[in-house]
Amino acid sequence: VPQLDMSGFTWAENLAFDPRTESLFVADATQGVLYRIYLDGGTYRNETWATFLNVGGLVMNEDSTVLYANALLLDDGEPYIVAVNTTQPNTFETLASMPRLGNGLALHYASGMLYSTNEGYFLPLNGQVYQISTKDGNVGLAIGQQESSDGCRVDNENNLLYYSDVLAAKIFVYDLNPSTGAVMAKNVSYSAPGMQMLDDFTLDSSGTLIYAADFHNGTVVVFNADGSSTEPYYLMEGLKTPTSVRFGAGSSFNSSCVYVTEGGGLSKSVTDRRVLQGPYSLDLPLGQ
């Protein structure tokens, strides 16, 4: 497949791959547009898939039939979790009305529980992590009195919830009830090595490594998910305010590489942010 390096974005905040439709969905928060990137005759193209006031965290369900998103709706300006149809543009349903607009979004497959982070306007102890049932849309507070909670991922093999504190560049890990998805005891928390602002991140397929976007330093940093790394591995440098990292999926994208979004554009006149493919991202020579 070709190398993806696509500009034209303002604040590309999050991304999710849909191998079923050979799509990469990208949320541009400032534009309020959910884009679909696809391969057409050897060239990557994009199209507007859905439009909102703001759209952020994205996550696919296990069988890649529904894309969940954090969004402010155009009709009432209120925050929701929406379920987006991945085969028909401009088609979505509201799953849940939210107390605040979410940032990161993750899904526990076994229970059907979503987790949505909110940075709390960067006020002390005002960050939140909400849990949302995909079965009935019920919303509850999973973890309160946090700082700037941002990125969010679930290790579905080991029933672990990971989220980041962007300003402190820390990772928090909580155990999840394997059947209900309820957040249980804190497993571990630690400062990410070599990072200043830990935005969103992803795990490798084994759940042993984290690949994280440093919004301030313009890097993608890799470290052990259990917090044992003392030195960072810099996979990518020279990025412009990177926001999110995901491994490619589907035959139209490279599953051995991470893909990264760039953000930070506060005005729609900013159109130089990119969605781009990183280098080969497996078998990295990480130290401790």
Side-chain angles (χ1 to χ4, degrees), residues 200-202 204 209-213 221-222 235 245 247 258 281 284:
D200 199 19
F201 59 92
T202 196
D204 68 349
L209 295 178
I210 284 178
Y211 297 68
V221 181
V222 187
L235 181 66
V245 185
F247 271 94
V258 295
S281 306
L284 301 177

Side-chain angles (χ1 to χ4, degrees), residues 174-236:
Y174 281 78
D175 294 311
L176 296 176
N177 183 292
S179 58
T180 68
V183 176
M184 301 166 68
K186 183 188 294 185
N187 186 294
V188 68
S189 63
Y190 56 88
S191 296
M195 300 197 73
Q196 188 163 341
M197 291 181 70
L198 201 172
D199 204 314
D200 199 19
F201 59 92
T202 196
L203 294 155
D204 68 349
S205 60
S206 68
T208 58
L209 295 178
I210 284 178
Y211 297 68
D214 190 322
F215 187 86
H216 182 274
N217 290 340
T219 57
V220 171
V221 181
V222 187
F223 49 89
N224 292 330
D226 63 3
S228 62
S229 295
T230 57
E231 296 293 332
Y233 181 90
Y234 294 102
L235 181 66
M236 300 174 71

Side-chain angles (χ1 to χ4, degrees), residues 84-259:
V84 179
N85 186 314
T86 58
T87 60
Q88 182 68 37
N90 303 306
T91 307
F92 62 88
E93 297 179 352
T94 56
L95 171 68
S97 175
M98 296 295 293
R100 300 175 182 174
L101 177 63
N103 194 332
L105 191 63
L107 176 62
H108 184 238
Y109 296 150
S111 65
M113 193 70 74
L114 287 163
Y115 308 90
S116 179
T117 58
N118 176 272
E119 295 162 337
Y121 316 106
F122 301 108
L123 298 174
L125 298 178
N126 198 38
Q128 312 276 25
V129 181
Y130 299 101
Q131 60 185 35
I132 308 97
S133 170
T134 58
K135 299 173 183 176
D136 59 15
N138 183 62
V139 179
L141 181 62
I143 308 168
Q145 294 190 316
Q146 301 302 295
E147 299 296 337
S148 48
S149 42
D150 194 314
C152 192
R153 296 296 283 168
V154 168
D155 177 350
N156 278 288
E157 291 296 320
N158 296 300
N159 298 298
L160 295 172
L161 171 66
Y162 290 76
Y163 71 91
S164 65
D165 179 330
V166 60
L167 295 184
K170 294 184 71 173
I171 290 284
F172 293 83
V173 189
Y174 281 78
D175 294 311
L176 296 176
N177 183 292
S179 58
T180 68
V183 176
M184 301 166 68
K186 183 188 294 185
N187 186 294
V188 68
S189 63
Y190 56 88
S191 296
M195 300 197 73
Q196 188 163 341
M197 291 181 70
L198 201 172
D199 204 314
D200 199 19
F201 59 92
T202 196
L203 294 155
D204 68 349
S205 60
S206 68
T208 58
L209 295 178
I210 284 178
Y211 297 68
D214 190 322
F215 187 86
H216 182 274
N217 290 340
T219 57
V220 171
V221 181
V222 187
F223 49 89
N224 292 330
D226 63 3
S228 62
S229 295
T230 57
E231 296 293 332
Y233 181 90
Y234 294 102
L235 181 66
M236 300 174 71
E237 299 181 84
L239 300 169
K240 189 170 289 185
T241 51
T243 53
S244 188
V245 185
R246 296 289 184 271
F247 271 94
S251 61
S252 295
F253 302 92
N254 193 329
S255 61
S256 298
C257 300
V258 295
Y259 291 71

Side-chain angles (χ1 to χ4, degrees), residues 35-112:
Y35 289 98
R36 173 181 175 251
I37 296 175
Y38 60 98
L39 190 59
D40 177 25
T43 301
Y44 286 113
R45 307 186 189 280
N46 70 44
E47 60 180 335
T48 296
W49 198 253
T51 305
F52 308 91
L53 279 180
N54 187 299
V55 59
L58 304 174
V59 66
M60 293 293 305
N61 68 348
E62 187 174 13
D63 60 2
S64 294
T65 57
V66 179
L67 173 67
Y68 296 103
N70 291 316
L72 286 180
L73 297 194
L74 287 168
D75 58 357
D76 64 4
E78 294 298 321
Y80 292 87
I81 302 287
V82 297
V84 179
N85 186 314
T86 58
T87 60
Q88 182 68 37
N90 303 306
T91 307
F92 62 88
E93 297 179 352
T94 56
L95 171 68
S97 175
M98 296 295 293
R100 300 175 182 174
L101 177 63
N103 194 332
L105 191 63
L107 176 62
H108 184 238
Y109 296 150
S111 65

